Amino acid sequence: NAGSSNLSDLGYVNQNWFRNGIFGFTLSVPIFSGLGNRAKVEKARIEMQKIEQDFKAFERTYDFQVAQARQSLSTSLQDLKIQKQNMDLAKEVSRVANIKFQSGTGKNLDIIDAENQFKTAETNYYNALYNAIISKIDLNKAMGKLVVDK
């Protein structure tokens, strides 16, 4: 600081210069925040309630999907049992038709019809087995036990 108002009065660097320094600080104390903090707290509370409701909805959905998958598996297993019995019965009818034909008391048409019924029952059994496997996979998926490799 040279203490001069004119640039021409500055002269040499070591002449007419006064050594000095300035220190300063600022202090800010909010007296009124404009209810901003209260609004932020209320917003956070509402967000927390929304998260809790979302979690409850997820739990209900999870429970419903697991119950539905269990019921589907139970139904599929019952259907599999029934189809197994039908297939065994059709196999026995086919065996009896073959015995009758070989002994001369049965017709060739009876054998063909019995074989067709057996094949149909066998197909129904394999479809029921497939549905039971799919139901088991759906249950594992609903319970989060299904592992998928990518």
Side-chain angles (χ1 to χ4, degrees):
N1 185 0
S4 173
S5 59
N6 294 328
L7 190 58
S8 62
D9 293 338
L10 290 179
Y12 295 110
V13 174
N14 291 330
Q15 288 181 335
N16 299 329
W17 287 85
F18 301 108
R19 298 180 189 260
N20 65 6
I22 298 174
F23 293 98
F25 69 93
T26 303
L27 178 63
S28 176
V29 179
I31 296 174
F32 180 70
S33 66
L35 303 176
N37 289 338
R38 185 175 180 194
K40 288 178 186 176
V41 168
E42 185 65 19
K43 182 179 177 184
R45 186 184 65 76
I46 291 171
E47 285 295 321
M48 184 64 133
Q49 287 177 344
K50 183 181 179 294
I51 290 169
E52 288 173 356
Q53 291 299 321
D54 289 346
F55 185 73
K56 288 177 184 177
F58 169 76
E59 283 180 329
R60 286 191 300 271
T61 301
Y62 171 79
D63 291 342
F64 175 74
Q65 286 179 349
V66 168
Q68 187 178 24
R70 281 189 177 138
Q71 182 61 37
S72 177
L73 179 61
S74 176
T75 302
S76 295
L77 291 175
Q78 288 175 353
D79 188 40
L80 180 65
K81 182 180 176 183
I82 291 169
Q83 293 303 327
K84 173 73 171 144
Q85 291 172 348
N86 286 345
M87 185 177 71
D88 292 342
L89 179 62
K91 187 175 185 178
E92 179 62 23
V93 168
S94 176
R95 186 185 71 78
V96 169
N98 276 328
I99 291 172
K100 283 183 177 181
F101 179 74
Q102 289 174 357
S103 67
T105 60
K107 299 177 188 173
N108 187 24
L109 188 60
D110 292 339
I111 293 175
I112 293 172
D113 189 37
E115 285 294 321
N116 284 338
Q117 289 177 2
F118 173 69
K119 291 298 179 188
T120 301
E122 190 176 41
T123 300
N124 291 341
Y125 172 76
Y126 288 126
N127 284 336
L129 181 62
Y130 173 78
N131 289 336
I133 291 170
I134 294 298
S135 295
K136 177 63 175 164
I137 291 170
D138 288 343
L139 178 61
N140 286 342
K141 179 181 173 185
M143 295 176 74
K145 295 180 181 178
L146 187 62
V147 178
V148 178
D149 293 332
K150 291 185 179 181

